[in-house]
Amino acid sequence: MDVAAANEIATSQAVWAIACLIIAFGAFRYLISKNDKLMNRAEERENKLMDHLDRSNESQEKTAVALEGINRNLTVLESRVDRMEKHTYKKNEKDDE
């Protein structure tokens, strides 16, 4: 192959068009690959966040149950203290007589 033929091929619009198409196709594939990786990472992050949210909800439910139990115990304790106060008050009234 002589220099003139190589020069003609190098300056040919068809060769440059094919080279641009190959470069564009490569860039397009790279961007699609990059987008897929980003989407996979976003999906993994979303799954982790949903797992965390589920665990948080379970923890809050357990806390709510515990608080309800504490509230019931305080109500019982309050009624016992009220009875003790009434009993003590009645006893003091009888002692004063």
Side-chain angles (χ1 to χ4, degrees):
M1 181 181 249
D2 62 350
V3 176
N7 189 29
E8 187 176 323
I9 292 172
T11 58
S12 169
Q13 288 183 354
V15 171
W16 286 106
I18 291 171
C20 286
L21 286 174
I22 291 171
I23 290 170
F25 180 74
F28 185 69
R29 285 190 59 184
Y30 171 77
L31 291 174
I32 287 175
S33 169
K34 189 82 165 171
N35 186 43
D36 287 344
K37 288 178 184 176
L38 289 173
M39 292 297 288
N40 287 338
R41 282 178 41 198
E43 187 175 328
E44 287 175 16
R45 184 171 183 231
E46 181 181 352
N47 288 337
K48 288 179 182 179
L49 287 170
M50 290 303 294
D51 289 342
H52 177 70
L53 181 61
D54 288 341
R55 286 192 312 271
S56 293
N57 286 343
E58 290 172 7
S59 176
Q60 288 177 352
E61 287 173 5
K62 289 177 183 177
T63 301
V65 168
L67 287 173
E68 287 173 1
I70 290 170
N71 189 32
R72 281 192 305 271
N73 289 338
L74 284 174
T75 302
V76 169
L77 182 60
E78 184 178 307
S79 66
R80 292 172 84 187
V81 169
D82 283 343
R83 282 185 300 200
M84 287 173 57
E85 285 177 344
K86 287 177 185 176
H87 179 70
T88 304
Y89 181 71
K90 285 180 183 179
K91 185 178 178 186
N92 286 342
E93 282 183 352
K94 286 181 183 178
D95 289 345
D96 287 343
E97 291 177 359

